[in-house]
Amino acid sequence: DIQMTQSPSSLSASVGDRVTITCRASQSISSYLNWYQQKPGKVPKPLIYTASSLQSGVPSRFSGSGSGTDFTLTISSLQPEDFATYYCQQSHSPPFTFGPGTRVEIK
Amino acid sequence: QLQLQESGPGLVRPSETLSLTCTVSGGSISSHSYFWSWIRQPPGKGLEWIGSVYYTGNTYYSPSFKSRVTISVDTSKNQFSLKLNSVTAADTAVYYCARRWIAVAEEDHFDSWGQGTLVTVSP
């Protein structure tokens, strides 16, 4: 199985801050990397697929990059509605594993 | 607009079988472009993929569940289902059904999710 790790596990940031979350795969997954946002008590929402493609309707302040084993999700200017937990997920090969999540909290 | 809706018992006894159904509306489950999946999330924890089914009935499962899971599809009802045998308290979770886009290999991702249903395993 491909193991996914994320760092940090949580962070505190202020509105307007630039936020970067890192995801690492235990082996190369090319660009088969997706990001999801989940707010408390809500359904995970797809944000980015194929490492850097923005899902329809997702604000352009979200961006993704990386390939191989190292990936990044960046929020260029954090907004109040962005406080949530973010998960990466590999779609290179089953089982389709998720990272443990990064919780973004208000400073 | 596509909607997925999970249904089934919210309480299951230990050692029994958890059974859930996902009803798809606003789109056909028989599309060539999607697999249909189950994902779960224990309270306060992360997301775990259980398995997926194609409209033809082809399935594949996570090794973590393979010995006790069955996912099936009913195209006439536009539904797919999950059965998980021999449940324990560790199977208590919110269970989501989700659509997985596969038409372009590199774009493979879960693009639409149901609202989720909490299943508690307790005597």
Side-chain angles (χ1 to χ4, degrees):
Chain A
D1 297 4
I2 298 173
Q3 307 302 318
M4 307 300 294
T5 57
Q6 289 182 234
S7 61
S9 57
S10 66
L11 65 89
S12 295
S14 301
V15 172
D17 284 352
R18 181 181 182 89
V19 169
T20 298
I21 298 169
T22 297
C23 175
R24 178 165 290 174
S26 61
Q27 65 187 72
S28 178
I29 57 172
S30 185
S31 296
Y32 290 83
L33 191 282
N34 308 308
W35 290 96
Y36 302 86
Q37 176 195 63
Q38 187 179 33
K39 297 180 181 180
K42 300 297 185 182
V43 180
K45 172 186 173 182
L47 287 181
I48 289 171
Y49 59 94
T50 323
S52 60
S53 296
L54 218 57
Q55 190 79 15
S56 176
V58 172
S60 59
R61 63 181 179 273
F62 290 93
S63 64
S65 64
S67 66
T69 60
D70 295 321
F71 302 87
T72 300
L73 172 69
T74 300
I75 309 172
S76 61
S77 178
L78 197 66
Q79 298 301 301
E81 60 268 30
D82 301 336
F83 292 95
T85 298
Y86 294 85
Y87 295 94
C88 61
Q89 175 249 329
Q90 64 85 14
S91 53
H92 178 273
S93 55
F96 300 115
T97 41
F98 291 83
T102 294
R103 185 175 179 181
V104 177
E105 301 174 321
I106 302 173
K107 184 182 260 183
Chain B
Q1 183 177 352
L2 184 83
Q3 290 190 327
L4 295 88
Q5 181 65 58
E6 304 88 352
S7 59
L11 179 65
V12 181
R13 306 301 181 193
S15 81
E16 296 188 345
T17 297
L18 180 158
S19 296
L20 296 174
T21 295
C22 182
T23 300
V24 179
S25 58
S28 174
I29 205 168
S30 299
S31 169
H32 293 240
S33 299
Y34 303 103
F35 263 84
W36 304 91
S37 303
W38 289 97
I39 296 163
R40 76 178 188 180
Q41 185 172 37
K45 296 188 178 180
L47 298 161
E48 184 175 27
W49 174 73
I50 300 171
S52 298
V53 63
Y54 197 50
Y55 76 96
T56 56
N58 288 353
T59 55
Y60 54 106
Y61 305 125
S62 169
S64 297
F65 301 94
K66 194 166 187 177
S67 64
R68 58 190 187 103
V69 67
T70 301
I71 298 175
S72 59
V73 62
D74 186 337
T75 55
S76 67
K77 295 181 179 179
N78 230 34
Q79 295 175 335
F80 63 107
S81 298
L82 168 71
K83 291 188 185 299
L84 186 65
N85 303 327
S86 305
V87 297
T88 69
D91 294 309
T92 294
V94 174
Y95 286 77
Y96 294 100
C97 58
R99 186 179 75 173
R100 185 177 140 232
W101 165 258
I102 61 162
V104 177
E106 295 83 3
E107 297 180 1
D108 188 330
H109 68 291
F110 301 106
D111 70 344
S112 187
W113 297 60
Q115 289 301 302
T117 187
L118 175 62
V119 179
T120 301
V121 179
S122 181

